[in-house]
Amino acid sequence: AGFMDVSGLKKVHVTGPHASHVIDKAVTRNIEKLRPGRSTYACMLNDDGKFVDDCVIYRMGPNSFMVVHGSGQGHEQLTMAATGRDVSLRFDDNLHDISLQGPLAVTFLEKHVEDIRNLNYFNHMQTMLFDCPVMISRTGYSGERGYELFFCGQDAPKIWDMLFEHSAPMGIIPTRFTTLDLLRAESYLLFFPYDNSDMYPFENEKHGDTLWELGLDFTVSEGKAGFRGCEEHMRLQGKERFKIFGVLLEGTEPADEGAPLMRNGKQVGTVTVGMYSTLNKHNVGIARMLVDCAVDGVAMNVKNASGNIACKAHSMPFYDPQKKIRSAKG
């Protein structure tokens, strides 16, 4: 297991009689079905039906939510949806977040937090850790069983130091963000804007990708309508210009970030992130590729700076495809 400071994630509290309505307008999930103590992953779109941010939404109570998002336009989306509504939006820069991820995470936490093993995937609890009030969420960006620890800024140094001290005998160490690129490549975790057209722009088109292209259409709750970009999202189904898909490379040299993906001498895509796993013995990557190439087994090659590497298209995730590890109970 490893832990990292992810306090740079943006936390927005949405409270008041119209809180659920505001979030419902801004995101792709049906928030009314989310019960207190649960969270869900969702996307946000612009008027063109294109992805602008993703987020995890925590329901704290009947009229109280917390939206945690990254570097996209999540706060702006919520602000737009809140116009004229009886709701309060508060950006919380004092709520810090440490992500503790990996098979040993629960083994460590159960020494300090009662009943942590009964906290199910995408559930959260209010408790104490090292005599500090915390919210612990069964979420994370790793593809492993993991937890996120939320706490106020003044307790951050203590919690970090205690975590470092008490977890060291188990071999748990602070982890750098480059590790996440390794984990996300094999676990199909996208990272805005590094897999998006913001980084790899289209010719003669403004940037923006559909959920159909990114493989994130599963975040739209069945039958939901009325969220921003909904009509365009539905209209663009079947009009994909590319697909996010996996590549399985030969050998042990990983694909360069941004390496061209070639087929029959023509570029058919771009590898956005690659990694060779010494644990799982696979050389894999996430790529943007033409739709007709995004089929298991299609032969291509990656044009690295050092030379070409043979590869084939492969569905994702490569690791824990049934998500049984990250969602395990008990």
Side-chain angles (χ1 to χ4, degrees), residues 210-213 217 232-243 291:
T210 71
L211 299 185
W212 311 108
E213 293 166 337
D217 48 285
E232 282 298 289
H233 162 72
M234 298 307 300
R235 186 185 69 81
L236 291 168
Q237 184 178 12
K239 297 179 172 62
E240 295 81 15
R241 300 157 295 176
F242 74 96
K243 282 279 193 178
V291 175

Side-chain angles (χ1 to χ4, degrees), residues 87-135:
V87 68
S88 172
L89 262 63
R90 185 172 66 84
F91 175 73
D92 191 348
D93 202 30
N94 188 49
L95 188 63
H96 288 230
D97 182 6
I98 290 176
S99 187
L100 174 63
Q101 303 288 311
L104 284 177
V106 67
T107 307
F108 170 76
L109 283 176
E110 70 178 345
K111 300 175 185 294
H112 305 276
V113 180
E114 186 179 354
D115 213 31
I116 190 66
R117 281 195 176 272
N118 292 324
L119 186 66
N120 291 331
Y121 195 41
F122 275 90
N123 279 248
H124 52 93
M125 64 189 296
Q126 310 291 337
T127 185
M128 301 290 288
L129 178 64
F130 308 130
D131 296 321
C132 298
V134 298
M135 184 180 91

Side-chain angles (χ1 to χ4, degrees), residues 49 85 95 102 140 144 146 155 159 168 211 227 240-241 250 275:
R85 299 290 176 180
L95 188 63
E144 295 281 358
D155 291 332
I159 290 178
L211 299 185
F227 58 90
E240 295 81 15
R241 300 157 295 176
E250 294 183 357
M275 66 90 77

Side-chain angles (χ1 to χ4, degrees), residues 45-62:
L45 309 180
N46 60 19
D47 290 334
D48 296 327
K50 305 293 180 62
F51 175 97
V52 295
D53 209 347
D54 57 356
C55 60
V56 175
I57 304 160
Y58 299 82
R59 187 161 204 162
M60 317 300 284

Side-chain angles (χ1 to χ4, degrees), residues 281-316:
K281 307 299 181 186
H282 55 208
N283 191 0
V284 301
I286 297 174
R288 299 167 62 88
M289 65 181 73
L290 297 180
V291 175
D292 60 355
C293 295
V295 179
D296 279 313
V298 171
M300 295 173 284
N301 61 79
V302 174
K303 192 175 181 180
N304 264 11
S306 61
N308 291 334
I309 304 173
C311 71
K312 61 182 179 182
H314 194 289
S315 53
M316 298 186 289

